[in-house]
PDB file of all heavy atoms in Angstrom:
ATOM      1  N   ASN F  88      -0.176 -10.845   2.049  1.00 95.00           N
ATOM      2  CA  ASN F  88       1.035 -11.583   2.432  1.00 95.00           C
ATOM      3  C   ASN F  88       1.284 -12.772   1.504  1.00 95.00           C
ATOM      4  O   ASN F  88       2.424 -13.178   1.302  1.00 95.00           O
ATOM      5  CB  ASN F  88       0.942 -12.066   3.880  1.00 95.00           C
ATOM      6  CG  ASN F  88       1.097 -10.933   4.876  1.00 95.00           C
ATOM      7  OD1 ASN F  88       1.045  -9.760   4.522  1.00 95.00           O
ATOM      8  ND2 ASN F  88       1.269 -11.278   6.136  1.00 95.00           N
ATOM      9  N   ARG F  89       0.236 -13.308   0.939  1.00 96.00           N
ATOM     10  CA  ARG F  89       0.369 -14.462   0.033  1.00 96.00           C
ATOM     11  C   ARG F  89       0.840 -14.068  -1.361  1.00 96.00           C
ATOM     12  O   ARG F  89       1.095 -14.937  -2.193  1.00 96.00           O
ATOM     13  CB  ARG F  89      -0.966 -15.194  -0.070  1.00 96.00           C
ATOM     14  CG  ARG F  89      -1.366 -15.825   1.238  1.00 96.00           C
ATOM     15  CD  ARG F  89      -2.628 -16.602   1.096  1.00 96.00           C
ATOM     16  NE  ARG F  89      -3.004 -17.173   2.380  1.00 96.00           N
ATOM     17  CZ  ARG F  89      -4.207 -17.598   2.656  1.00 96.00           C
ATOM     18  NH1 ARG F  89      -5.158 -17.533   1.747  1.00 96.00           N
ATOM     19  NH2 ARG F  89      -4.473 -18.095   3.843  1.00 96.00           N
ATOM     20  N   LEU F  90       0.957 -12.782  -1.622  1.00 97.00           N
ATOM     21  CA  LEU F  90       1.357 -12.329  -2.955  1.00 97.00           C
ATOM     22  C   LEU F  90       2.848 -12.037  -3.088  1.00 97.00           C
ATOM     23  O   LEU F  90       3.305 -11.633  -4.152  1.00 97.00           O
ATOM     24  CB  LEU F  90       0.542 -11.089  -3.351  1.00 97.00           C
ATOM     25  CG  LEU F  90      -0.947 -11.337  -3.558  1.00 97.00           C
ATOM     26  CD1 LEU F  90      -1.662 -10.032  -3.891  1.00 97.00           C
ATOM     27  CD2 LEU F  90      -1.193 -12.379  -4.633  1.00 97.00           C
ATOM     28  N   VAL F  91       3.625 -12.259  -2.037  1.00 96.00           N
ATOM     29  CA  VAL F  91       5.076 -12.096  -2.140  1.00 96.00           C
ATOM     30  C   VAL F  91       5.590 -13.130  -3.141  1.00 96.00           C
ATOM     31  O   VAL F  91       5.308 -14.326  -3.024  1.00 96.00           O
ATOM     32  CB  VAL F  91       5.773 -12.264  -0.772  1.00 96.00           C
ATOM     33  CG1 VAL F  91       7.293 -12.254  -0.938  1.00 96.00           C
ATOM     34  CG2 VAL F  91       5.329 -11.177   0.189  1.00 96.00           C
ATOM     35  N   GLY F  92       6.296 -12.658  -4.167  1.00 96.00           N
ATOM     36  CA  GLY F  92       6.826 -13.542  -5.207  1.00 96.00           C
ATOM     37  C   GLY F  92       5.801 -13.952  -6.252  1.00 96.00           C
ATOM     38  O   GLY F  92       6.110 -14.727  -7.152  1.00 96.00           O
ATOM     39  N   GLU F  93       4.612 -13.407  -6.167  1.00 97.00           N
ATOM     40  CA  GLU F  93       3.533 -13.764  -7.100  1.00 97.00           C
ATOM     41  C   GLU F  93       3.176 -12.573  -7.993  1.00 97.00           C
ATOM     42  O   GLU F  93       3.356 -11.430  -7.622  1.00 97.00           O
ATOM     43  CB  GLU F  93       2.273 -14.179  -6.325  1.00 97.00           C
ATOM     44  CG  GLU F  93       2.460 -15.366  -5.424  1.00 97.00           C
ATOM     45  CD  GLU F  93       2.642 -16.663  -6.184  1.00 97.00           C
ATOM     46  OE1 GLU F  93       2.062 -16.795  -7.281  1.00 97.00           O
ATOM     47  OE2 GLU F  93       3.353 -17.544  -5.683  1.00 97.00           O
ATOM     48  N   ARG F  94       2.624 -12.909  -9.165  1.00 97.00           N
ATOM     49  CA  ARG F  94       2.092 -11.877 -10.056  1.00 97.00           C
ATOM     50  C   ARG F  94       0.597 -11.754  -9.828  1.00 97.00           C
ATOM     51  O   ARG F  94      -0.079 -12.751  -9.592  1.00 97.00           O
ATOM     52  CB  ARG F  94       2.391 -12.209 -11.508  1.00 97.00           C
ATOM     53  CG  ARG F  94       3.868 -12.054 -11.814  1.00 97.00           C
ATOM     54  CD  ARG F  94       4.161 -12.256 -13.264  1.00 97.00           C
ATOM     55  NE  ARG F  94       5.569 -11.986 -13.500  1.00 97.00           N
ATOM     56  CZ  ARG F  94       6.087 -11.720 -14.667  1.00 97.00           C
ATOM     57  NH1 ARG F  94       5.319 -11.711 -15.743  1.00 97.00           N
ATOM     58  NH2 ARG F  94       7.370 -11.474 -14.788  1.00 97.00           N
ATOM     59  N   PHE F  95       0.120 -10.519  -9.927  1.00 97.00           N
ATOM     60  CA  PHE F  95      -1.305 -10.267  -9.755  1.00 97.00           C
ATOM     61  C   PHE F  95      -1.682  -9.047 -10.580  1.00 97.00           C
ATOM     62  O   PHE F  95      -0.829  -8.265 -10.990  1.00 97.00           O
ATOM     63  CB  PHE F  95      -1.660 -10.070  -8.273  1.00 97.00           C
ATOM     64  CG  PHE F  95      -0.944  -8.939  -7.593  1.00 97.00           C
ATOM     65  CD1 PHE F  95      -1.561  -7.703  -7.433  1.00 97.00           C
ATOM     66  CD2 PHE F  95       0.349  -9.101  -7.098  1.00 97.00           C
ATOM     67  CE1 PHE F  95      -0.909  -6.655  -6.796  1.00 97.00           C
ATOM     68  CE2 PHE F  95       1.011  -8.059  -6.458  1.00 97.00           C
ATOM     69  CZ  PHE F  95       0.381  -6.831  -6.315  1.00 97.00           C
ATOM     70  N   ARG F  96      -2.959  -8.924 -10.837  1.00 98.00           N
ATOM     71  CA  ARG F  96      -3.467  -7.792 -11.616  1.00 98.00           C
ATOM     72  C   ARG F  96      -4.355  -6.910 -10.755  1.00 98.00           C
ATOM     73  O   ARG F  96      -5.139  -7.399  -9.950  1.00 98.00           O
ATOM     74  CB  ARG F  96      -4.267  -8.268 -12.817  1.00 98.00           C
ATOM     75  CG  ARG F  96      -3.394  -8.812 -13.920  1.00 98.00           C
ATOM     76  CD  ARG F  96      -4.110  -8.767 -15.267  1.00 98.00           C
ATOM     77  NE  ARG F  96      -3.209  -9.223 -16.318  1.00 98.00           N
ATOM     78  CZ  ARG F  96      -2.370  -8.438 -16.995  1.00 98.00           C
ATOM     79  NH1 ARG F  96      -2.350  -7.145 -16.738  1.00 98.00           N
ATOM     80  NH2 ARG F  96      -1.580  -8.930 -17.921  1.00 98.00           N
ATOM     81  N   ILE F  97      -4.191  -5.625 -10.972  1.00 98.00           N
ATOM     82  CA  ILE F  97      -5.091  -4.625 -10.425  1.00 98.00           C
ATOM     83  C   ILE F  97      -5.749  -4.039 -11.668  1.00 98.00           C
ATOM     84  O   ILE F  97      -5.180  -3.164 -12.325  1.00 98.00           O
ATOM     85  CB  ILE F  97      -4.329  -3.559  -9.619  1.00 98.00           C
ATOM     86  CG1 ILE F  97      -3.513  -4.195  -8.504  1.00 98.00           C
ATOM     87  CG2 ILE F  97      -5.302  -2.519  -9.074  1.00 98.00           C
ATOM     88  CD1 ILE F  97      -2.543  -3.250  -7.823  1.00 98.00           C
ATOM     89  N   GLY F  98      -6.891  -4.597 -12.047  1.00 96.00           N
ATOM     90  CA  GLY F  98      -7.483  -4.253 -13.332  1.00 96.00           C
ATOM     91  C   GLY F  98      -6.529  -4.675 -14.431  1.00 96.00           C
ATOM     92  O   GLY F  98      -6.082  -5.822 -14.482  1.00 96.00           O
ATOM     93  N   ALA F  99      -6.131  -3.744 -15.292  1.00 96.00           N
ATOM     94  CA  ALA F  99      -5.206  -4.036 -16.386  1.00 96.00           C
ATOM     95  C   ALA F  99      -3.741  -3.978 -15.961  1.00 96.00           C
ATOM     96  O   ALA F  99      -2.857  -4.391 -16.707  1.00 96.00           O
ATOM     97  CB  ALA F  99      -5.435  -3.052 -17.536  1.00 96.00           C
ATOM     98  N   VAL F 100      -3.466  -3.482 -14.766  1.00 98.00           N
ATOM     99  CA  VAL F 100      -2.094  -3.293 -14.296  1.00 98.00           C
ATOM    100  C   VAL F 100      -1.531  -4.615 -13.786  1.00 98.00           C
ATOM    101  O   VAL F 100      -2.096  -5.228 -12.886  1.00 98.00           O
ATOM    102  CB  VAL F 100      -2.043  -2.217 -13.179  1.00 98.00           C
ATOM    103  CG1 VAL F 100      -0.623  -2.039 -12.666  1.00 98.00           C
ATOM    104  CG2 VAL F 100      -2.615  -0.903 -13.678  1.00 98.00           C
ATOM    105  N   LEU F 101      -0.412  -5.050 -14.368  1.00 98.00           N
ATOM    106  CA  LEU F 101       0.252  -6.278 -13.934  1.00 98.00           C
ATOM    107  C   LEU F 101       1.329  -5.930 -12.915  1.00 98.00           C
ATOM    108  O   LEU F 101       2.174  -5.063 -13.165  1.00 98.00           O
ATOM    109  CB  LEU F 101       0.881  -7.007 -15.121  1.00 98.00           C
ATOM    110  CG  LEU F 101       1.616  -8.306 -14.802  1.00 98.00           C
ATOM    111  CD1 LEU F 101       0.652  -9.358 -14.229  1.00 98.00           C
ATOM    112  CD2 LEU F 101       2.324  -8.837 -16.043  1.00 98.00           C
ATOM    113  N   CYS F 102       1.277  -6.586 -11.759  1.00 97.00           N
ATOM    114  CA  CYS F 102       2.222  -6.322 -10.666  1.00 97.00           C
ATOM    115  C   CYS F 102       2.876  -7.617 -10.209  1.00 97.00           C
ATOM    116  O   CYS F 102       2.368  -8.713 -10.474  1.00 97.00           O
ATOM    117  CB  CYS F 102       1.495  -5.712  -9.474  1.00 97.00           C
ATOM    118  SG  CYS F 102       0.695  -4.150  -9.819  1.00 97.00           S
ATOM    119  N   GLU F 103       3.974  -7.461  -9.493  1.00 97.00           N
ATOM    120  CA  GLU F 103       4.641  -8.588  -8.838  1.00 97.00           C
ATOM    121  C   GLU F 103       4.911  -8.193  -7.397  1.00 97.00           C
ATOM    122  O   GLU F 103       5.516  -7.138  -7.136  1.00 97.00           O
ATOM    123  CB  GLU F 103       5.953  -8.914  -9.540  1.00 97.00           C
ATOM    124  CG  GLU F 103       6.705 -10.060  -8.906  1.00 97.00           C
ATOM    125  CD  GLU F 103       8.021 -10.344  -9.605  1.00 97.00           C
ATOM    126  OE1 GLU F 103       8.544  -9.469 -10.313  1.00 97.00           O
ATOM    127  OE2 GLU F 103       8.526 -11.456  -9.421  1.00 97.00           O
ATOM    128  N   GLY F 104       4.454  -9.036  -6.460  1.00 97.00           N
ATOM    129  CA  GLY F 104       4.711  -8.791  -5.053  1.00 97.00           C
ATOM    130  C   GLY F 104       6.184  -9.014  -4.751  1.00 97.00           C
ATOM    131  O   GLY F 104       6.717 -10.070  -5.067  1.00 97.00           O
ATOM    132  N   ILE F 105       6.847  -8.050  -4.145  1.00 95.00           N
ATOM    133  CA  ILE F 105       8.287  -8.129  -3.879  1.00 95.00           C
ATOM    134  C   ILE F 105       8.573  -8.543  -2.444  1.00 95.00           C
ATOM    135  O   ILE F 105       9.327  -9.475  -2.199  1.00 95.00           O
ATOM    136  CB  ILE F 105       8.976  -6.781  -4.194  1.00 95.00           C
ATOM    137  CG1 ILE F 105       8.762  -6.412  -5.663  1.00 95.00           C
ATOM    138  CG2 ILE F 105      10.465  -6.827  -3.849  1.00 95.00           C
ATOM    139  CD1 ILE F 105       9.276  -7.435  -6.660  1.00 95.00           C
ATOM    140  N   GLU F 106       7.983  -7.852  -1.482  1.00 94.00           N
ATOM    141  CA  GLU F 106       8.237  -8.164  -0.077  1.00 94.00           C
ATOM    142  C   GLU F 106       7.138  -7.553   0.785  1.00 94.00           C
ATOM    143  O   GLU F 106       6.421  -6.652   0.358  1.00 94.00           O
ATOM    144  CB  GLU F 106       9.596  -7.633   0.371  1.00 94.00           C
ATOM    145  CG  GLU F 106       9.705  -6.118   0.344  1.00 94.00           C
ATOM    146  CD  GLU F 106      11.083  -5.601   0.713  1.00 94.00           C
ATOM    147  OE1 GLU F 106      11.975  -6.397   1.042  1.00 94.00           O
ATOM    148  OE2 GLU F 106      11.267  -4.370   0.659  1.00 94.00           O
ATOM    149  N   LEU F 107       7.051  -8.078   2.005  1.00 93.00           N
ATOM    150  CA  LEU F 107       6.116  -7.480   2.949  1.00 93.00           C
ATOM    151  C   LEU F 107       6.560  -6.054   3.245  1.00 93.00           C
ATOM    152  O   LEU F 107       7.755  -5.760   3.277  1.00 93.00           O
ATOM    153  CB  LEU F 107       6.060  -8.286   4.244  1.00 93.00           C
ATOM    154  CG  LEU F 107       5.518  -9.707   4.146  1.00 93.00           C
ATOM    155  CD1 LEU F 107       5.476 -10.351   5.529  1.00 93.00           C
ATOM    156  CD2 LEU F 107       4.146  -9.741   3.489  1.00 93.00           C
ATOM    157  N   CYS F 108       5.615  -5.210   3.463  1.00 89.00           N
ATOM    158  CA  CYS F 108       5.877  -3.804   3.776  1.00 89.00           C
ATOM    159  C   CYS F 108       5.755  -3.658   5.292  1.00 89.00           C
ATOM    160  O   CYS F 108       4.768  -3.134   5.810  1.00 89.00           O
ATOM    161  CB  CYS F 108       4.860  -2.936   3.036  1.00 89.00           C
ATOM    162  SG  CYS F 108       5.272  -1.208   2.986  1.00 89.00           S
ATOM    163  N   GLU F 109       6.753  -4.155   5.986  1.00 83.00           N
ATOM    164  CA  GLU F 109       6.723  -4.127   7.442  1.00 83.00           C
ATOM    165  C   GLU F 109       6.800  -2.686   7.933  1.00 83.00           C
ATOM    166  O   GLU F 109       7.433  -1.837   7.310  1.00 83.00           O
ATOM    167  CB  GLU F 109       7.882  -4.936   8.022  1.00 83.00           C
ATOM    168  CG  GLU F 109       7.812  -6.426   7.723  1.00 83.00           C
ATOM    169  CD  GLU F 109       6.682  -7.172   8.437  1.00 83.00           C
ATOM    170  OE1 GLU F 109       5.805  -6.550   9.067  1.00 83.00           O
ATOM    171  OE2 GLU F 109       6.677  -8.408   8.361  1.00 83.00           O
ATOM    172  N   PRO F 110       6.152  -2.390   9.041  1.00 76.00           N
ATOM    173  CA  PRO F 110       6.151  -1.017   9.559  1.00 76.00           C
ATOM    174  C   PRO F 110       7.548  -0.617  10.012  1.00 76.00           C
ATOM    175  O   PRO F 110       8.342  -1.454  10.436  1.00 76.00           O
ATOM    176  CB  PRO F 110       5.184  -1.092  10.734  1.00 76.00           C
ATOM    177  CG  PRO F 110       5.222  -2.516  11.164  1.00 76.00           C
ATOM    178  CD  PRO F 110       5.437  -3.318   9.908  1.00 76.00           C
ATOM    179  N   CYS F 111       7.813   0.673   9.916  1.00 67.00           N
ATOM    180  CA  CYS F 111       9.134   1.178  10.300  1.00 67.00           C
ATOM    181  C   CYS F 111       8.980   2.245  11.378  1.00 67.00           C
ATOM    182  O   CYS F 111       7.885   2.710  11.664  1.00 67.00           O
ATOM    183  CB  CYS F 111       9.841   1.769   9.078  1.00 67.00           C
ATOM    184  SG  CYS F 111       8.946   3.138   8.319  1.00 67.00           S
ATOM    185  N   SER F 112      10.091   2.618  11.959  1.00 61.00           N
ATOM    186  CA  SER F 112      10.057   3.635  13.009  1.00 61.00           C
ATOM    187  C   SER F 112       9.581   4.974  12.452  1.00 61.00           C
ATOM    188  O   SER F 112       8.986   5.771  13.174  1.00 61.00           O
ATOM    189  CB  SER F 112      11.430   3.775  13.663  1.00 61.00           C
ATOM    190  OG  SER F 112      12.401   4.094  12.684  1.00 61.00           O
TER     191      SER F 112
END
Side-chain angles (χ1 to χ4, degrees):
N88 287 13
R89 294 183 181 161
L90 293 178
V91 173
E93 300 290 328
R94 289 185 175 199
F95 59 98
R96 286 202 177 272
I97 303 170
V100 179
L101 180 63
C102 299
E103 179 181 20
I105 301 302
E106 65 183 358
L107 295 182
C108 194
E109 295 291 9
C111 60
S112 57

